[in-house]
Amino acid sequence: MADVDLDTLQRWLRTFAASVAEQKDALTSLDAAIGDADHGANMHRGMSAVVEGLSTPPADPATLFKQAGMTLVKSVGGASGPLYGTFFLRMAPATGGAAALDPETFAKALRAGLEGVVARGKAELGDKTMVDALTPALDALDAALSSGESLASALRAASAAADEGRDATTPMVARKGRASYLGERSAGHQDPGATSTALLVAAAATAVAEQGDG
Ligand code: ADP
Ligand code: MG
């Protein structure tokens, strides 16, 4: 398959924004159970601003990610703004300034994003956060790419792993973020951030599949 081009990366962000818009109330209900009922609104506000920013076309993937990251940090109050913002801000330099990203570079940039989230939020696996969806997703992505799968197919595997990771947050007791204030009472609820992260990975799979085999 062709390298992931700037159009596809923009489509990824637009697709994610559309999923967030569609799932806004569901994300907010999840956050109502173990947080402060704003995750849907936060992500919707942030991703709408990111999409607005695309009206000035970015020059390259690094600029796209930097712009998206800064917009999220600026427009989203709450934990998820800085965390998603950091994710994209860390992806930017990992693209090495390339005009299009080969699968390994895309995977490496995503990994750099995850490392940024972990550095900033200090969440470990099992803390019931977005990290619990993103980590298995990127592990599945790397595994599929190493075994020679196409990026489209590897991202489908990543998306399935993100969904599983999201589902696995339900029984967890939160150890980071607002949900951790509930202690044991946070168990039995799916984590909102892991839920939006599964949408992020699914959107990447969709956007890359749409680029086709070109
Ligand atoms: P807030 O908690 O400030 O209201 P949101 O509701 O928008 O922000 O986002 C909550 C989500 O952020 C949680 O469901 C969790 O996945 C994620 N989160 C919170 N704290 C952390 C952290 N330290 N590391 C990683 N993710 C976190
Ligand atoms: Mg919240």
Side-chain angles (χ1 to χ4, degrees), residues 31-32 35-40 42 78-80 178 192:
D31 197 33
D36 56 354
D38 64 357
H39 189 60
N42 282 345
S80 58
R178 281 179 195 279

Side-chain angles (χ1 to χ4, degrees), residues 31 34-40 42-43 76-81 83-84 117-118 120-124 128-131 175-179 190-197:
D31 197 33
I34 56 170
D36 56 354
D38 64 357
H39 189 60
N42 282 345
M43 293 303 297
V76 184
S80 58
L83 290 166
Y84 272 97
V117 170
V118 170
R120 174 128 199 176
K122 309 272 182 284
E124 290 173 16
K128 197 182 182 94
T129 71
M130 54 193 288
V131 169
R175 285 191 293 254
K176 283 286 178 292
R178 281 179 195 279
Q190 186 176 303
D191 179 60
T195 307
S196 58
T197 293

Side-chain angles (χ1 to χ4, degrees), residues 127-186:
D127 283 353
K128 197 182 182 94
T129 71
M130 54 193 288
V131 169
D132 292 309
L134 200 47
T135 303
L138 299 190
D139 289 349
L141 178 67
D142 289 346
L145 289 177
S146 331
S147 69
E149 285 183 44
S150 70
L151 181 61
S153 152
L155 282 169
R156 270 195 299 278
S159 178
D163 288 354
E164 276 176 38
R166 169 202 66 201
D167 293 348
T169 63
T170 300
M172 291 174 185
V173 172
R175 285 191 293 254
K176 283 286 178 292
R178 281 179 195 279
S180 67
Y181 308 158
L182 291 180
E184 299 288 328
R185 280 181 297 135
S186 61

Side-chain angles (χ1 to χ4, degrees), residues 39-160:
H39 189 60
N42 282 345
M43 293 303 297
H44 182 52
R45 184 170 60 254
M47 288 311 298
S48 300
V50 167
V51 167
E52 270 171 43
L54 296 179
S55 59
T56 317
D60 54 23
T63 311
L64 171 71
F65 293 142
K66 196 170 157 212
Q67 195 175 297
M70 287 185 337
T71 302
L72 287 168
V73 170
K74 260 194 304 195
S75 62
V76 184
S80 58
L83 290 166
Y84 272 97
T86 298
F87 176 75
F88 287 113
L89 286 171
R90 288 290 187 97
M91 281 192 80
T95 66
L101 309 183
D102 61 59
E104 284 66 32
T105 304
F106 186 48
K108 260 201 241 161
L110 290 165
R111 178 70 63 180
L114 168 61
E115 286 167 0
V117 170
V118 170
R120 174 128 199 176
K122 309 272 182 284
E124 290 173 16
L125 268 181
D127 283 353
K128 197 182 182 94
T129 71
M130 54 193 288
V131 169
D132 292 309
L134 200 47
T135 303
L138 299 190
D139 289 349
L141 178 67
D142 289 346
L145 289 177
S146 331
S147 69
E149 285 183 44
S150 70
L151 181 61
S153 152
L155 282 169
R156 270 195 299 278
S159 178

Side-chain angles (χ1 to χ4, degrees), residues 1-5 7-9 11-12 15 101 103 106 110 141 150-156 201-214:
M1 103 149 246
D3 293 349
V4 184
D5 59 28
D7 268 1
T8 296
L9 294 170
R11 204 163 54 247
W12 172 31
T15 304
L101 309 183
F106 186 48
L110 290 165
L141 178 67
S150 70
L151 181 61
S153 152
L155 282 169
R156 270 195 299 278
V201 181
T206 302
V208 167
E210 283 170 1
Q211 185 179 320
D213 293 323

